Amino acid sequence: MCRIGVLALQGSFREHVQALTKCAVHAYEVRLPDQLKAADGLIVPGGESTVIDKLIKKYGFKAHLDHFFRAGKPMMGTCAGMIMLAGKVLGQDIGWGYINLTVERNAYGRQIDSFEQDIDLNLNCRKGQDFKGIFIRAPKIVKVGTDVQILGMLGKEAVLVRQNHVVACSFHPELCRDLRIHQYFVQMIKKNKRES
Ligand code: GLN
């Protein structure tokens, strides 16, 4: 069975564990670096990227995450999680450089400007599907680097992207009942497991 870790330092990790459990995989909370070893894939949840960054440093996670990334194991970052995975974060020295994106924190406005809006999904080359995007003080993807595939758009902006084994989105798929994005990630992990 495939085992998926959810980084559980801060933020909406419980909701991700619940969504993954509904996809019939073994999902568990990762609180310490050693717990990464058992995972076939990892989700970095939304929350507050500055807090996640501090806790990553405090618990000495970074080298273990780099190892996980270099091993080619799938990773998905949602909202603050996307900020953590990004190559560049405007004005700030956070971002682990796992996906070739430039992002801007809080670029859709403040907490009060949080919103729900349908996004156009393009998963598995199937265009024209809607997905309820829940945006909470969301980061914006301001530059999509080369080799990054766009899997979801909000109007003219990319909001769900993938580069090789790394997926990132600026919204919160774990907060709605729709499991398609989690299922997509689970399929990536199963394929990676079969092939490695
Ligand atoms: N505004 C948060 C940050 O910059 C992200 C918000 C979220 O994850 N919902 O880290």
Side-chain angles (χ1 to χ4, degrees):
M1 192 184 197
C2 94
R3 295 171 59 91
I4 307 182
V6 180
L7 190 69
L9 298 176
Q10 191 260 340
S12 59
F13 53 87
R14 284 184 197 88
E15 291 80 357
H16 275 296
V17 169
Q18 279 161 9
L20 289 169
T21 305
K22 285 187 198 147
C23 297
V25 293
H26 177 78
Y28 68 99
E29 295 177 4
V30 172
R31 294 175 183 273
L32 292 169
D34 254 7
Q35 294 173 308
L36 279 175
K37 284 195 190 121
D40 301 308
L42 180 74
I43 290 184
V44 184
E48 194 57 47
S49 51
T50 48
V51 177
I52 296 174
D53 180 56
K54 274 199 192 105
L55 294 171
I56 286 290
K57 288 178 179 141
K58 181 170 172 193
Y59 293 105
F61 256 102
K62 186 57 177 30
H64 298 261
L65 287 163
D66 285 346
H67 183 78
F68 194 92
F69 169 72
R70 282 198 296 265
K73 291 189 181 180
M75 303 175 103
M76 177 161 87
T78 60
C79 205
M82 173 177 88
I83 298 170
M84 303 318 300
L85 299 185
K88 192 163 181 214
V89 182
L90 289 187
Q92 249 160 328
D93 189 22
I94 47 179
W96 302 331
Y98 299 163
I99 182 163
N100 194 357
L101 294 178
T102 303
V103 303
E104 184 180 358
R105 293 183 60 213
N106 304 328
Y108 290 99
R110 300 175 339 148
Q111 192 78 11
I112 196 164
D113 304 311
S114 297
F115 61 96
E116 290 183 14
Q117 204 169 312
D118 278 350
I119 67 165
D120 294 327
L121 268 197
N122 181 11
L123 292 180
N124 305 314
C125 302
R126 286 176 53 209
K127 287 199 170 145
Q129 312 164 72
D130 282 350
F131 188 97
K132 186 167 88 174
I134 301 179
F135 293 80
I136 305 172
R137 257 184 350 114
K140 199 176 269 191
I141 298 174
V142 292
K143 188 162 170 231
V144 179
T146 45
D147 296 334
V148 177
Q149 255 176 291
I150 297 176
L151 302 176
M153 302 276 289
L154 177 71
K156 290 196 169 100
E157 281 158 6
V159 289
L160 171 65
V161 291
R162 171 175 176 180
Q163 183 179 24
N164 302 320
H165 61 294
V166 180
V167 176
C169 64
S170 47
F171 53 96
H172 284 269
E174 77 287 6
L175 297 184
C176 64
R177 293 214 180 101
D178 194 329
L179 293 172
R180 280 176 294 166
I181 293 174
H182 286 85
Q183 273 157 352
Y184 176 82
F185 184 57
V186 168
Q187 289 314 316
M188 267 173 73
I189 295 170
K190 289 189 173 161
K191 186 163 184 282
N192 182 260
K193 241 191 126 169
R194 275 198 307 273
E195 290 170 2
S196 57

